Amino acid sequence: MLKKIIFCFFLFSSSVLYADSTLHHISIKGNQRIESETILSYLPVKVGEGIDQAKLDQCLKDLFATGYFIDVQVQ
């Protein structure tokens, strides 16, 4: 069954994404049948790594490519 998921990236910088932003926390919300750890394993980024818009876009693409989700939002 396809589900909606929201995941939040908490960055060192403000809400504006800079090329040298560091990812400090990832929060998964809305998952019911798939464990958060499994969802995190699909993401091409890890806490402590640098992140930019291209990596955020890739996160969305990778999650949709699993076929498990009908809606994914990044906040």
Side-chain angles (χ1 to χ4, degrees):
M1 174 181 247
L2 300 177
K3 294 290 180 184
K4 177 178 178 177
I5 185 169
I6 299 172
F7 61 101
C8 303
F9 291 98
F10 296 95
L11 305 174
F12 179 72
S13 62
S14 66
S15 61
V16 175
L17 187 62
Y18 298 101
D20 61 350
S21 295
T22 300
L23 182 60
H24 287 274
H25 181 76
I26 301 173
S27 176
I28 309 291
K29 299 179 182 180
N31 53 319
Q32 296 175 355
R33 296 180 185 234
I34 300 177
E35 295 293 326
S36 295
E37 294 79 20
T38 302
I39 296 167
L40 289 171
S41 73
Y42 294 130
L43 300 178
V45 296
K46 304 290 181 229
V47 172
E49 293 181 352
I51 191 164
D52 57 16
Q53 189 61 49
K55 286 185 181 180
L56 287 177
D57 292 344
Q58 191 61 51
C59 287
L60 291 173
K61 290 176 186 177
D62 289 354
L63 288 175
F64 278 120
T66 66
Y68 295 134
F69 310 103
I70 56 172
D71 188 20
V72 178
Q73 299 174 11
V74 176
Q75 298 178 340

Coordinates of all heavy atoms in Angstrom, one line a residue:
M1 N 0.8 -1.2 0.0 CA 0.0 0.0 0.0 C 0.9 1.2 0.0 O 1.8 1.3 0.8 CB -0.9 0.0 1.2 CG -1.7 1.2 1.4 SD -2.7 1.2 2.8 CE -4.3 1.1 2.1
L2 N 0.6 2.2 -0.9 CA 1.4 3.4 -1.0 C 1.0 4.4 0.2 O -0.2 4.5 0.5 CB 1.1 4.1 -2.3 CG 1.5 3.3 -3.5 CD1 1.2 4.0 -4.8 CD2 3.0 2.9 -3.5
K3 N 1.9 5.0 0.8 CA 1.7 5.9 1.9 C 2.3 7.2 1.7 O 3.2 7.4 0.8 CB 2.3 5.3 3.2 CG 1.6 4.0 3.6 CD 0.3 4.3 4.1 CE -0.4 3.1 4.6 NZ -1.7 3.3 5.0
K4 N 1.9 8.2 2.4 CA 2.4 9.5 2.4 C 3.5 9.6 3.5 O 3.3 9.1 4.6 CB 1.3 10.5 2.7 CG 1.8 12.0 2.8 CD 0.6 12.9 3.1 CE 1.0 14.3 3.2 NZ -0.1 15.2 3.4
I5 N 4.6 10.3 3.2 CA 5.6 10.4 4.2 C 6.2 11.9 4.2 O 6.2 12.5 3.1 CB 6.8 9.4 4.0 CG1 7.8 9.5 5.1 CG2 7.4 9.6 2.7 CD1 8.8 8.4 5.1
I6 N 6.5 12.4 5.3 CA 7.1 13.7 5.4 C 8.5 13.5 6.1 O 8.5 12.8 7.1 CB 6.3 14.7 6.2 CG1 4.9 14.9 5.5 CG2 7.0 16.0 6.4 CD1 3.9 15.7 6.3
F7 N 9.5 14.0 5.6 CA 10.8 14.0 6.3 C 11.4 15.3 6.4 O 11.2 16.1 5.5 CB 11.8 12.9 5.8 CG 12.2 13.1 4.4 CD1 13.5 13.6 4.1 CD2 11.4 12.7 3.3 CE1 13.9 13.8 2.8 CE2 11.9 12.8 2.0 CZ 13.1 13.4 1.8
C8 N 11.9 15.6 7.5 CA 12.5 17.0 7.8 C 14.0 16.9 7.9 O 14.5 16.0 8.6 CB 11.9 17.5 9.0 SG 10.1 17.6 9.0
F9 N 14.7 17.8 7.3 CA 16.1 18.0 7.4 C 16.4 19.2 8.3 O 15.8 20.3 8.0 CB 16.7 18.2 6.0 CG 16.7 17.0 5.2 CD1 15.7 16.9 4.2 CD2 17.6 16.0 5.3 CE1 15.7 15.8 3.4 CE2 17.6 14.9 4.5 CZ 16.6 14.8 3.5
F10 N 17.1 19.0 9.3 CA 17.5 20.1 10.2 C 18.9 20.5 9.8 O 19.9 19.7 10.0 CB 17.3 19.8 11.6 CG 15.9 19.5 12.0 CD1 15.4 18.2 12.0 CD2 15.1 20.5 12.3 CE1 14.1 18.0 12.3 CE2 13.7 20.3 12.6 CZ 13.3 19.0 12.6
L11 N 19.1 21.7 9.4 CA 20.4 22.2 8.9 C 21.1 23.1 9.8 O 20.4 23.8 10.6 CB 20.2 22.8 7.5 CG 19.5 22.0 6.4 CD1 19.3 22.9 5.2 CD2 20.4 20.8 6.1
F12 N 22.4 23.2 9.7 CA 23.1 24.2 10.6 C 22.7 25.6 10.3 O 22.7 26.4 11.1 CB 24.6 23.9 10.3 CG 25.5 24.9 11.1 CD1 25.6 24.7 12.5 CD2 26.2 25.9 10.5 CE1 26.4 25.6 13.2 CE2 27.0 26.7 11.2 CZ 27.1 26.6 12.5
S13 N 22.5 25.9 9.0 CA 22.1 27.3 8.6 C 20.6 27.5 8.8 O 19.9 26.7 9.3 CB 22.5 27.4 7.1 OG 21.8 26.6 6.3
S14 N 20.2 28.7 8.4 CA 18.8 29.1 8.5 C 18.0 28.3 7.4 O 18.5 27.4 6.8 CB 18.7 30.6 8.2 OG 19.0 30.9 6.9
S15 N 16.8 28.7 7.2 CA 15.9 28.0 6.2 C 16.4 28.1 4.8 O 16.0 27.4 3.9 CB 14.5 28.6 6.3 OG 14.4 29.9 6.0
V16 N 17.3 29.1 4.5 CA 17.9 29.2 3.2 C 18.9 28.1 3.1 O 19.8 28.0 3.9 CB 18.5 30.6 3.0 CG1 19.2 30.7 1.6 CG2 17.4 31.7 3.1
L17 N 18.9 27.4 2.0 CA 19.9 26.3 1.8 C 21.1 26.8 1.1 O 21.1 27.3 0.0 CB 19.2 25.2 1.0 CG 20.0 23.9 0.9 CD1 20.3 23.3 2.2 CD2 19.3 22.9 0.0
Y18 N 22.2 26.7 1.8 CA 23.5 27.2 1.3 C 24.3 26.0 0.8 O 24.0 24.8 1.2 CB 24.3 27.9 2.4 CG 23.6 29.1 2.9 CD1 23.0 29.1 4.1 CD2 23.7 30.3 2.1 CE1 22.3 30.3 4.5 CE2 23.1 31.5 2.6 CZ 22.4 31.4 3.8 OH 21.8 32.6 4.2
A19 N 25.2 26.2 -0.1 CA 26.0 25.1 -0.7 C 26.8 24.3 0.4 O 27.0 23.2 0.2 CB 26.9 25.6 -1.8
D20 N 27.1 25.0 1.5 CA 27.9 24.4 2.5 C 27.1 24.0 3.7 O 27.7 23.9 4.8 CB 29.1 25.2 2.8 CG 28.7 26.6 3.4 OD1 27.5 26.9 3.3 OD2 29.6 27.3 3.9
S21 N 25.8 23.8 3.6 CA 25.0 23.5 4.8 C 25.3 22.1 5.2 O 25.6 21.2 4.5 CB 23.5 23.5 4.4 OG 23.1 24.9 4.1
T22 N 25.2 21.9 6.6 CA 25.5 20.6 7.2 C 24.2 20.0 7.7 O 23.4 20.7 8.4 CB 26.5 20.7 8.3 OG1 27.7 21.3 7.8 CG2 26.8 19.4 9.0
L23 N 23.9 18.8 7.4 CA 22.7 18.1 7.9 C 22.9 17.6 9.3 O 23.9 16.9 9.6 CB 22.5 16.9 7.0 CG 21.2 16.1 7.2 CD1 20.0 17.0 7.1 CD2 21.2 14.9 6.3
H24 N 22.1 18.1 10.2 CA 22.2 17.8 11.6 C 21.2 16.7 12.1 O 21.5 16.1 13.1 CB 22.1 19.0 12.5 CG 23.4 19.9 12.4 ND1 24.5 19.7 13.2 CD2 23.7 20.9 11.6 CE1 25.4 20.6 12.8 NE2 24.9 21.3 11.9
H25 N 20.1 16.6 11.5 CA 19.1 15.7 12.0 C 18.1 15.4 10.8 O 17.8 16.3 10.1 CB 18.3 16.3 13.2 CG 17.3 15.4 13.7 ND1 17.6 14.3 14.5 CD2 15.9 15.5 13.7 CE1 16.5 13.8 14.9 NE2 15.4 14.4 14.4
I26 N 17.6 14.2 10.8 CA 16.5 13.8 9.8 C 15.4 13.3 10.6 O 15.6 12.4 11.4 CB 17.0 12.8 8.8 CG1 18.2 13.3 8.0 CG2 15.8 12.4 7.8 CD1 18.8 12.3 7.0
S27 N 14.2 13.8 10.4 CA 13.0 13.3 11.1 C 12.0 12.8 10.1 O 11.7 13.5 9.2 CB 12.4 14.5 11.9 OG 11.2 14.1 12.5
I28 N 11.6 11.6 10.3 CA 10.6 10.9 9.4 C 9.3 11.0 10.1 O 9.1 10.6 11.3 CB 11.0 9.4 9.2 CG1 12.4 9.3 8.7 CG2 10.0 8.8 8.2 CD1 12.7 9.8 7.4
K29 N 8.2 11.4 9.4 CA 6.9 11.5 9.9 C 5.9 10.9 8.9 O 6.0 11.1 7.8 CB 6.5 13.0 10.2 CG 7.4 13.6 11.3 CD 6.9 15.1 11.5 CE 7.9 15.7 12.5 NZ 7.5 17.1 12.7
G30 N 4.9 10.3 9.5 CA 3.8 9.8 8.6 C 4.0 8.3 8.2 O 3.1 7.8 7.6
N31 N 5.1 7.7 8.4 CA 5.3 6.3 8.1 C 4.5 5.4 9.0 O 4.5 5.6 10.2 CB 6.8 5.9 8.0 CG 7.5 6.3 9.3 OD1 7.3 7.3 9.9 ND2 8.3 5.4 9.7
Q32 N 3.8 4.4 8.4 CA 3.0 3.5 9.2 C 3.5 2.1 9.0 O 3.5 1.3 10.0 CB 1.5 3.6 8.8 CG 1.0 5.0 9.2 CD -0.5 5.1 8.7 OE1 -1.0 4.3 8.0 NE2 -1.1 6.3 9.0
R33 N 3.9 1.7 7.8 CA 4.2 0.3 7.6 C 5.7 0.1 7.3 O 6.2 -1.1 7.3 CB 3.4 -0.2 6.3 CG 1.9 -0.2 6.6 CD 1.2 -0.8 5.4 NE -0.2 -0.7 5.6 CZ -1.0 -1.7 5.5 NH1 -0.6 -2.8 5.2 NH2 -2.3 -1.5 5.7
I34 N 6.4 1.1 7.1 CA 7.8 1.0 6.8 C 8.6 1.7 7.9 O 8.3 2.9 8.3 CB 8.2 1.6 5.4 CG1 7.4 0.9 4.3 CG2 9.7 1.6 5.2 CD1 7.7 1.5 3.0
E35 N 9.5 1.0 8.5 CA 10.3 1.6 9.6 C 11.1 2.8 9.2 O 11.6 2.9 8.0 CB 11.3 0.5 10.2 CG 10.6 -0.6 10.8 CD 9.8 -0.3 12.1 OE1 10.3 0.6 12.8 OE2 8.8 -0.9 12.3
S36 N 11.3 3.8 10.1 CA 12.1 5.0 9.8 C 13.5 4.6 9.3 O 14.1 5.2 8.4 CB 12.2 5.9 11.0 OG 10.9 6.4 11.3
E37 N 14.1 3.6 10.0 CA 15.5 3.2 9.6 C 15.5 2.7 8.2 O 16.5 2.9 7.5 CB 16.0 2.1 10.6 CG 16.2 2.5 12.0 CD 14.8 2.6 12.8 OE1 13.8 2.0 12.4 OE2 14.8 3.4 13.8
T38 N 14.5 2.0 7.7 CA 14.4 1.6 6.3 C 14.4 2.8 5.4 O 15.1 2.8 4.4 CB 13.2 0.6 6.1 OG1 13.3 -0.5 7.0 CG2 13.2 0.1 4.7
I39 N 13.5 3.7 5.7 CA 13.4 4.9 4.9 C 14.7 5.6 4.8 O 15.2 6.1 3.8 CB 12.3 5.8 5.4 CG1 10.9 5.1 5.3 CG2 12.3 7.2 4.7 CD1 9.8 5.7 6.1
L40 N 15.4 5.8 6.0 CA 16.7 6.5 6.0 C 17.7 5.7 5.1 O 18.6 6.4 4.5 CB 17.2 6.5 7.5 CG 16.5 7.5 8.4 CD1 16.9 7.3 9.8 CD2 16.6 8.9 7.9
S41 N 17.6 4.4 5.0 CA 18.6 3.7 4.2 C 18.4 4.0 2.7 O 19.4 3.8 2.0 CB 18.4 2.2 4.5 OG 17.2 1.7 3.9
Y42 N 17.3 4.5 2.3 CA 17.0 4.8 0.9 C 17.6 6.2 0.6 O 17.7 6.5 -0.6 CB 15.5 4.9 0.6 CG 14.8 3.5 0.6 CD1 13.7 3.4 1.3 CD2 15.4 2.4 0.0 CE1 13.0 2.2 1.4 CE2 14.7 1.2 0.0 CZ 13.5 1.1 0.7 OH 12.9 -0.1 0.8
L43 N 17.9 7.0 1.6 CA 18.4 8.4 1.3 C 19.9 8.4 1.0 O 20.7 7.7 1.6 CB 18.1 9.2 2.5 CG 16.6 9.4 3.0 CD1 16.5 10.2 4.2 CD2 15.8 10.0 1.8
P44 N 20.2 9.2 0.0 CA 21.7 9.4 -0.4 C 22.4 10.3 0.5 O 23.6 10.7 0.2 CB 21.6 9.9 -1.8 CG 20.3 10.7 -1.8 CD 19.4 10.0 -0.9
V45 N 21.9 10.7 1.7 CA 22.5 11.6 2.6 C 22.5 11.1 4.0 O 21.6 10.3 4.3 CB 21.9 13.0 2.6 CG1 22.0 13.7 1.3 CG2 20.5 13.0 3.0
K46 N 23.4 11.4 4.8 CA 23.5 11.0 6.2 C 23.7 12.2 7.1 O 24.3 13.2 6.6 CB 24.6 10.0 6.4 CG 24.6 8.8 5.5 CD 23.4 7.9 5.9 CE 23.4 6.7 5.0 NZ 22.1 6.4 4.4
V47 N 23.3 12.1 8.3 CA 23.6 13.2 9.3 C 25.1 13.5 9.4 O 25.9 12.5 9.4 CB 23.0 12.8 10.7 CG1 23.4 13.8 11.7 CG2 21.5 12.7 10.6
G48 N 25.4 14.7 9.4 CA 26.8 15.1 9.5 C 27.4 15.5 8.1 O 28.5 16.1 8.1
E49 N 26.7 15.1 7.1 CA 27.2 15.4 5.7 C 26.8 16.8 5.2 O 25.8 17.3 5.7 CB 26.7 14.3 4.7 CG 27.3 13.0 4.9 CD 26.7 12.0 3.9 OE1 25.8 12.3 3.1 OE2 27.2 10.9 3.9
G50 N 27.5 17.3 4.3 CA 27.0 18.5 3.6 C 25.8 18.2 2.7 O 25.7 17.0 2.3
I51 N 24.9 19.2 2.6 CA 23.7 18.9 1.8 C 23.4 20.2 1.0 O 23.7 21.3 1.4 CB 22.5 18.5 2.6 CG1 21.4 18.1 1.8 CG2 22.2 19.6 3.6 CD1 20.3 17.3 2.5
D52 N 23.0 20.0 -0.2 CA 22.6 21.1 -1.1 C 21.3 20.8 -1.8 O 20.7 19.7 -1.6 CB 23.7 21.5 -2.1 CG 24.1 20.3 -3.0 OD1 23.3 19.3 -3.1 OD2 25.1 20.3 -3.6
Q53 N 20.8 21.6 -2.6 CA 19.5 21.4 -3.3 C 19.5 20.2 -4.2 O 18.5 19.4 -4.2 CB 19.1 22.6 -4.1 CG 17.7 22.6 -4.7 CD 16.6 22.5 -3.6 OE1 16.7 23.3 -2.6 NE2 15.7 21.5 -3.6
A54 N 20.6 19.9 -4.8 CA 20.7 18.7 -5.7 C 20.6 17.4 -4.9 O 19.9 16.5 -5.3 CB 22.1 18.7 -6.4
K55 N 21.1 17.4 -3.7 CA 21.0 16.2 -2.8 C 19.6 16.1 -2.3 O 19.1 15.0 -2.2 CB 22.0 16.2 -1.7 CG 23.4 16.0 -2.1 CD 24.3 15.9 -0.9 CE 25.8 15.6 -1.3 NZ 26.7 15.6 -0.2
L56 N 18.9 17.2 -2.0 CA 17.5 17.1 -1.6 C 16.6 16.6 -2.7 O 15.8 15.8 -2.5 CB 17.0 18.5 -1.1 CG 17.5 19.0 0.2 CD1 17.0 20.4 0.5 CD2 17.2 18.1 1.4
D57 N 16.9 17.1 -3.9 CA 16.1 16.6 -5.0 C 16.4 15.1 -5.2 O 15.4 14.3 -5.5 CB 16.6 17.3 -6.3 CG 16.2 18.8 -6.3 OD1 15.3 19.2 -5.5 OD2 16.7 19.5 -7.1
Q58 N 17.6 14.6 -5.0 CA 17.9 13.2 -5.2 C 17.2 12.4 -4.1 O 16.7 11.3 -4.4 CB 19.4 13.0 -5.1 CG 19.8 11.5 -5.5 CD 19.4 11.2 -7.0 OE1 19.7 12.0 -7.9 NE2 18.7 10.1 -7.2
C59 N 17.1 12.9 -2.9 CA 16.3 12.2 -1.8 C 14.9 12.0 -2.3 O 14.4 10.8 -2.1 CB 16.3 13.1 -0.6 SG 17.9 13.1 0.3
L60 N 14.2 13.0 -2.8 CA 12.9 12.8 -3.3 C 12.8 11.8 -4.4 O 11.9 10.9 -4.4 CB 12.3 14.1 -3.8 CG 12.1 15.2 -2.7 CD1 11.7 16.5 -3.3 CD2 11.0 14.7 -1.7
K61 N 13.7 11.8 -5.4 CA 13.7 10.9 -6.5 C 13.9 9.5 -6.0 O 13.2 8.5 -6.4 CB 14.7 11.3 -7.5 CG 14.4 12.5 -8.3 CD 15.6 12.9 -9.2 CE 15.4 14.2 -9.8 NZ 16.5 14.6 -10.7
D62 N 14.8 9.3 -5.0 CA 15.1 8.0 -4.5 C 13.9 7.4 -3.8 O 13.6 6.2 -3.9 CB 16.4 8.0 -3.7 CG 17.6 8.2 -4.5 OD1 17.6 8.3 -5.7 OD2 18.7 8.4 -3.8
L63 N 13.3 8.2 -3.0 CA 12.1 7.7 -2.2 C 10.9 7.3 -3.2 O 10.3 6.3 -3.0 CB 11.7 8.7 -1.2 CG 12.6 8.8 0.0 CD1 12.2 9.9 1.0 CD2 12.7 7.5 0.8
F64 N 10.7 8.2 -4.1 CA 9.6 7.9 -5.1 C 9.9 6.6 -5.9 O 9.1 5.8 -6.2 CB 9.3 9.0 -6.0 CG 8.4 10.1 -5.5 CD1 8.9 11.4 -5.3 CD2 7.1 9.8 -5.1 CE1 8.0 12.4 -4.8 CE2 6.3 10.7 -4.5 CZ 6.8 12.0 -4.4
A65 N 11.2 6.4 -6.2 CA 11.6 5.3 -7.0 C 11.4 3.9 -6.3 O 11.3 2.9 -6.9 CB 13.1 5.4 -7.4
T66 N 11.3 4.0 -5.0 CA 11.0 2.7 -4.2 C 9.6 2.2 -4.6 O 9.4 1.0 -4.4 CB 11.1 2.9 -2.7 OG1 10.0 3.8 -2.3 CG2 12.4 3.5 -2.3
G67 N 8.7 3.1 -5.0 CA 7.3 2.6 -5.3 C 6.5 2.5 -4.0 O 5.3 2.1 -4.1
Y68 N 7.0 2.8 -2.9 CA 6.3 2.7 -1.6 C 5.5 3.9 -1.2 O 4.6 3.8 -0.3 CB 7.2 2.3 -0.4 CG 8.0 1.0 -0.6 CD1 9.3 0.9 -0.3 CD2 7.3 -0.1 -0.9 CE1 10.0 -0.3 -0.4 CE2 7.9 -1.3 -1.0 CZ 9.3 -1.4 -0.8 OH 9.9 -2.6 -0.8
F69 N 5.7 5.0 -1.8 CA 5.1 6.3 -1.4 C 4.4 7.0 -2.5 O 4.8 6.9 -3.7 CB 6.2 7.2 -0.8 CG 7.0 6.5 0.2 CD1 8.3 6.1 -0.1 CD2 6.5 6.3 1.5 CE1 9.1 5.5 0.8 CE2 7.3 5.6 2.4 CZ 8.6 5.2 2.1
I70 N 3.2 7.6 -2.2 CA 2.5 8.4 -3.1 C 2.8 9.9 -2.9 O 2.6 10.7 -3.8 CB 1.0 8.2 -3.1 CG1 0.4 8.4 -1.7 CG2 0.7 6.8 -3.6 CD1 -1.1 8.4 -1.6
D71 N 3.3 10.3 -1.8 CA 3.6 11.7 -1.5 C 4.8 11.7 -0.5 O 4.8 11.1 0.5 CB 2.4 12.3 -0.8 CG 2.5 13.8 -0.7 OD1 3.4 14.4 -1.4 OD2 1.8 14.4 0.2
V72 N 5.7 12.5 -0.9 CA 6.9 12.8 -0.1 C 7.1 14.2 0.0 O 7.1 14.9 -1.1 CB 8.2 12.0 -0.7 CG1 9.4 12.4 0.2 CG2 7.9 10.5 -0.8
Q73 N 7.3 14.8 1.1 CA 7.6 16.2 1.3 C 8.8 16.4 2.1 O 9.1 15.7 3.0 CB 6.4 16.9 2.0 CG 5.1 16.7 1.4 CD 3.9 17.3 2.2 OE1 4.2 17.9 3.2 NE2 2.7 17.0 1.8
V74 N 9.6 17.5 1.7 CA 10.8 17.9 2.4 C 10.5 19.2 3.0 O 10.0 20.1 2.4 CB 12.0 18.0 1.5 CG1 13.2 18.5 2.3 CG2 12.3 16.7 0.8
Q75 N 10.7 19.3 4.3 CA 10.5 20.6 5.0 C 11.8 21.0 5.7 O 12.5 20.2 6.2 CB 9.4 20.5 6.1 CG 8.1 20.1 5.5 CD 7.0 20.0 6.5 OE1 7.2 19.7 7.7 NE2 5.7 20.1 6.1

